[in-house]
Amino acid sequence: RWLGGMLTNFGTIQKRMPRLKELELINFDDTSSGYTKKELLMMRREKDKLDSVLSGIRDMAKVPSVLWVIDTKKEQIAVDEARKLGIPVVAILDSNCDPDEVNFPIPGNDDNASTACSTMPDVNCISREITSKSSYLCIACLLRYYKQKSTTSD
């Protein structure tokens, strides 16, 4: 699920990255680190929360120049934020989506992950046309990352 304000409040969200990196350096199993058990537990919870929310954008230094969306109905918040900031939107559109909401519609089945993977070269071409840097934020990749992470942690 898209975290609301990820694009419009990008500067504020980026300010939390140093805290996440700081928490990743702490060994939570080492009780001789100078922290109490309660402090370690609270810091572990904070790290887990920040990691689940920010891990997909941890290496992004700036707002993406193009937004790549699979399902515009499900990711309406992301599309609205991108339009508000003037970021071009590339999207796979099914018959239930409005093509007027995106700048570069790609007709296809937005319910099928293989469709998203097969259109990635098209998105790179479109992205290069829009900007010299082909930076885009792939919602499907973020979702795939979270699904893999949740299945490996169980």
Side-chain angles (χ1 to χ4, degrees):
R1 180 166 121 40
W2 181 261
L3 180 65
M6 183 93 59
L7 294 174
T8 53
N9 297 321
F10 188 75
T12 304
I13 290 173
Q14 280 299 104
K15 291 178 184 175
R16 297 300 293 162
M17 287 299 171
R19 178 64 177 162
L20 175 62
K21 291 176 183 175
E22 176 185 320
L23 290 171
E24 287 175 339
L25 298 175
I26 297 174
N27 182 5
F28 294 106
D29 298 327
D30 185 17
T31 56
S32 64
S33 62
Y35 296 107
T36 65
K37 287 183 181 180
K38 184 175 182 177
E39 288 173 331
L40 287 171
L41 177 66
M42 292 177 67
M43 286 191 290
R44 181 189 299 258
R45 286 180 184 162
E46 181 183 3
K47 179 199 162 283
D48 290 343
K49 184 176 181 180
L50 287 174
D51 191 44
S52 70
V53 173
L54 302 178
S55 60
I57 62 165
R58 75 177 315 127
D59 296 326
M60 283 180 49
K62 60 184 177 101
V63 176
S65 53
V66 179
L67 186 71
W68 161 233
V69 181
I70 300 296
D71 186 357
T72 57
K73 286 282 189 197
K74 186 176 181 182
E75 305 298 343
Q76 186 64 44
I77 297 170
V79 173
D80 289 343
E81 285 187 44
R83 290 177 68 195
K84 183 182 285 188
L85 295 175
I87 299 171
V89 178
V90 179
I92 295 178
L93 297 177
D94 211 345
S95 60
N96 63 347
C97 299
D98 184 12
D100 294 333
E101 293 181 349
V102 299
N103 303 85
F104 301 95
I106 300 173
N109 184 3
D110 60 9
D111 300 323
N112 189 352
S114 65
T115 304
C117 294
S118 67
T119 58
M120 285 302 262
D122 297 337
V123 173
N124 281 327
C125 292
I126 293 170
S127 180
R128 282 189 202 104
E129 287 177 17
I130 296 170
T131 177
S132 61
K133 301 172 192 159
S134 64
S135 63
Y136 55 87
L137 179 59
C138 178
I139 304 296
C141 296
L142 289 174
L143 293 176
R144 194 175 314 123
Y145 169 80
Y146 288 126
K147 285 180 185 176
Q148 286 174 352
K149 189 173 176 183
S150 66
T151 56
T152 56
S153 64
D154 291 339

